[in-house]
Amino acid sequence: MRVMIDACVLYPTVMREVVLGCAKAGLFEARWSARILEEWARAAGKLGPAEEVWARGEIAALGAVFPQAMVTYDAAQERQFWLPDPADIHVLTAAVVGSCDGILTMNAKDFPRNILGDEALLRWDPDGFVRLLLDEAPDQVRGVADAVLAEANRLSEQPWTMRALMKKARMPRFGKALEA
């Protein structure tokens, strides 16, 4: 399954690490475009120039880990699509050009299911998507989540529980399912 990952899923860190950890485990094929990655870098830059530099370093490293993930297209192709927010048309275009099965986004209102359905695309939110993956491959997804939790605890001054970390990462149902 090929999944176009929107910038709002790539930034923040914990959500990105869980989602991309599942892709690294072979549970789906991650896709993105240069514009999506640029949105991530600029969002990080709002916290300061050092954060943007860090994000750009992570973006460069992703190219080595996911060499097939980058989808390129001619900007003129965007004219054939419509979404409620014209600023998101590039995500839809990249998903169609990249032969994706769906778009992973936190932005449901700007990606209506009926419009995506016309392009044979699904829309998932990260919380629901990783729960689906958990149902399909529980050991692999738990391994990813455990590694993310371990790294969060290594970097944090306070210890995290899985449920609290996933709730903070805006994936509360996933965190609850992991503790069940």
Side-chain angles (χ1 to χ4, degrees), residues 39-59:
E39 284 184 6
W40 166 17
R42 289 185 182 194
K46 291 178 182 178
L47 296 177
E51 294 297 322
E52 183 172 345
V53 169
W54 184 267
R56 290 187 186 282
E58 288 187 78
I59 289 166

Side-chain angles (χ1 to χ4, degrees), residues 129-150:
F129 183 72
V130 293
R131 285 202 55 221
L132 288 172
L133 296 178
L134 180 63
D135 290 344
E136 294 173 8
D139 293 339
Q140 289 174 288
V141 176
R142 284 182 188 278
V144 167
D146 288 343
V148 171
L149 177 62

Side-chain angles (χ1 to χ4, degrees), residues 12-63:
T13 302
V14 171
M15 184 181 294
R16 175 181 67 251
E17 293 301 315
V18 170
V19 168
L20 294 183
C22 290
K24 286 177 194 172
L27 301 177
F28 72 96
E29 295 179 33
R31 295 290 186 268
W32 46 69
S33 68
R35 185 165 169 187
I36 289 170
L37 297 178
E38 183 62 23
E39 284 184 6
W40 166 17
R42 289 185 182 194
K46 291 178 182 178
L47 296 177
E51 294 297 322
E52 183 172 345
V53 169
W54 184 267
R56 290 187 186 282
E58 288 187 78
I59 289 166
L62 284 181

Side-chain angles (χ1 to χ4, degrees), residues 2 11-13 21 44 62 67 80 90 92 103 119-120 141 143-144 154 160-161 166:
R2 287 188 185 142
Y11 184 77
T13 302
L62 284 181
Q80 65 186 330
H90 70 97
L92 175 58
I103 297 173
E119 302 301 331
V141 176
V144 167
R154 186 184 74 77
W160 288 96
T161 64
M166 294 305 149

